[in-house]
Amino acid sequence: MAGSSKPDWSDLHAKFQSTLRSRPQLLPPQESLLVAVSGGQDSVCLLKLLLDLQPNWRWHLAVAHCDHQMRPDSATNAQHVSEVTGHWNLSFYQKTAEQPLQGEAAARSWRYHALIALAETHGFSRIVTGHTKSDRAETLLHNLIRGSGLDGLAALTWQRPLTENVQLVRPMLEIGRSQTTQFCQHFHLPIWEDSTNQETRYTRNQIRLHLIPALEAINPQVQTHLATTAELLDADVEYLESIAKTLYTQVSQPNLPQLNRQLLADAPLSLQRRVIRQFLIQWLPHAPNFAQVEKVTHLIAAPNRSQTDPFPGGRIACVHHPWIELKL
Ligand SMILES: Nc1ncnc2c1ncn2[C@@H]1O[C@H](COP(=O)(O)OP(=O)(O)OP(=O)(O)O)[C@@H](O)[C@H]1O
């Protein structure tokens, strides 16, 4: 395995460094970074890049691995990451699920909680993941197929707060998976091959193995173009969300589940939907889906005393002019 004390500078090192310089808020010098390493090529590539740049940037680096217990070889996978980390003289933190997790979504949700807990406990301000440009393109397509709005298409942002003290950072969004493959081969990095990667069991793998190659046959640059689309939409989402947030404070009551529909009536539909989504997120136990947001949006112009069916948890939205109220 190639050491990190005298890095053999590659094009990818230069590209990565240039991304960090052009986005100085991502991984500022001396920051404490908890690198989320699955053992796969993307996160191992990320770890080597960070290690090689570390002398200049003086970060405090450590590695976190989450064992979802979803595969029979998951403990060996964790052991592999621990050994790679030891070889590079970094601290290693692991979380193991108490019981095998069911499905990708459950695994992801548990993983983020586990990573946040590790970061909070050990004083890391940033969790850094190996998401690539290819992941961004695949996530955009995945969300498009599911009928997502702008927010889902602005897939995988560079950085977002997870808690008051911890940020999630994805510094490899300009790097494609073929580049991480080449990098790992060039430096003989020890990669853990995920046994589910080549299976088409999950939608995301189907997108990766079938849809992207079909789109690349039409336009070889499709991954870059999709990632650019996500980047553009991300800025639009940020802008719309900031206006919606201001409008929400103007039309809502601080501690009551009420919205002033008279004030909302003149806003564009796009903002009405965003405000109502924020309202439902604040007052319902689960994030609302599109149909639920639509039902409440229709109440803006509905006759007095109109109401929706009950939402999960039993609340209904009803019109009590000029208010839309959530009631039990
Ligand atoms: N078991 C794990 N332990 C630690 N980090 C992990 C693990 N699995 C994934 N990661 C981190 O998440 C990144 C993305 O991995 P992957 O694409 O497999 O996840 P995902 O389920 O699609 O997650 P997301 O919804 O966040 O995209 C990896 O590069 C790595 O940084």
Side-chain angles (χ1 to χ4, degrees):
M1 174 163 52
S4 59
S5 52
K6 273 191 183 167
D8 181 0
W9 197 254
S10 69
D11 288 351
L12 211 62
H13 286 87
K15 189 179 175 75
F16 189 64
Q17 172 135 289
S18 126
T19 298
L20 298 188
R21 287 203 173 126
S22 63
R23 299 174 182 274
Q25 74 290 358
L26 283 185
L27 303 176
Q30 300 182 38
E31 209 64 44
S32 54
L33 314 180
L34 186 61
V35 190
V37 178
S38 62
Q41 63 177 50
D42 298 338
S43 50
V44 170
C45 170
L46 166 71
L47 185 59
K48 166 128 178 89
L49 287 170
L50 290 170
L51 268 168
D52 290 347
L53 265 57
Q54 204 273 342
N56 286 340
W57 293 72
R58 289 167 284 121
W59 299 298
H60 169 51
L61 294 177
V63 166
H65 178 79
C66 302
D67 178 352
H68 305 109
Q69 295 234 49
M70 282 170 76
R71 287 179 272 113
D73 58 357
S74 74
T76 327
N77 181 171
Q79 179 62 26
H80 172 85
V81 177
S82 158
E83 282 165 15
V84 173
T85 307
H87 178 89
W88 279 332
N89 291 322
L90 293 171
S91 302
F92 175 71
Y93 302 105
Q94 181 180 334
K95 283 264 184 198
T96 304
E98 278 168 19
Q99 61 223 7
L101 295 161
Q102 300 297 321
E104 266 200 305
R108 180 179 303 124
S109 159
W110 171 80
R111 183 167 74 240
Y112 277 102
H113 281 108
L115 290 170
I116 290 169
L118 287 175
E120 298 263 2
T121 307
H122 300 285
F124 290 91
S125 61
R126 280 162 164 77
I127 294 167
V128 192
T129 64
H131 289 101
T132 60
K133 180 164 76 180
S134 311
D135 290 313
R136 201 175 201 188
E138 289 159 13
T139 306
L140 184 153
L141 288 173
H142 191 189
N143 290 340
L144 183 64
I145 292 166
R146 292 193 294 190
S148 157
L150 206 57
D151 300 31
L153 304 184
L156 300 185
T157 52
W158 287 89
Q159 187 166 17
R160 74 179 164 91
L162 293 173
T163 67
E164 216 176 299
N165 305 316
V166 181
Q167 301 251 338
L168 172 68
V169 182
R170 301 179 175 114
M172 297 220 298
L173 292 182
E174 282 171 347
I175 293 172
R177 193 172 293 122
S178 59
Q179 289 170 294
T180 65
T181 309
Q182 229 178 13
F183 184 88
C184 291
Q185 281 167 358
H186 178 79
F187 289 104
H188 307 291
L189 301 182
I191 301 310
W192 181 267
E193 284 292 346
D194 179 343
S195 51
T196 63
N197 254 355
Q198 293 305 315
E199 294 174 16
T200 50
R201 193 164 49 175
Y202 301 121
T203 316
R204 238 201 44 195
N205 278 0
Q206 289 180 312
I207 292 171
R208 178 183 300 179
L209 298 174
H210 302 305
L211 186 54
I212 295 268
L215 292 172
E216 275 174 339
I218 299 168
N219 185 329
Q221 292 302 314
V222 71
Q223 290 198 36
T224 301
H225 294 323
L226 290 174
T228 305
T229 301
E231 183 82 29
L232 292 169
L233 296 183
D234 185 33
D236 293 342
V237 167
E238 199 180 314
Y239 173 66
L240 285 170
E241 272 301 287
S242 70
I243 306 180
K245 211 169 161 184
T246 310
L247 184 58
Y248 183 48
T249 55
Q250 291 164 354
V251 302
S252 60
Q253 299 276 75
N255 293 312
L256 290 173
Q258 290 184 335
L259 280 181
N260 188 319
R261 64 177 193 151
Q262 231 167 13
L263 295 178
L264 260 184
D266 289 337
L269 180 58
S270 154
L271 288 181
Q272 291 177 342
R273 284 185 176 137
R274 280 178 188 277
V275 165
I276 283 166
R277 196 176 142 74
Q278 287 185 17
F279 175 63
L280 295 179
I281 285 174
Q282 181 179 352
W283 293 104
L284 293 184
H286 301 291
N289 60 30
F290 175 70
Q292 291 165 339
V293 172
E294 277 315 81
K295 278 183 193 159
V296 182
T297 308
H298 286 141
L299 294 183
I300 295 174
N304 200 19
R305 310 224 170 265
S306 303
Q307 63 182 50
T308 62
D309 300 331
F311 294 111
R315 281 193 146 146
I316 56 162
C318 57
V319 179
H320 205 139
H321 197 66
W323 303 104
I324 294 174
E325 295 178 350
L326 276 178
K327 279 190 183 166
L328 266 177

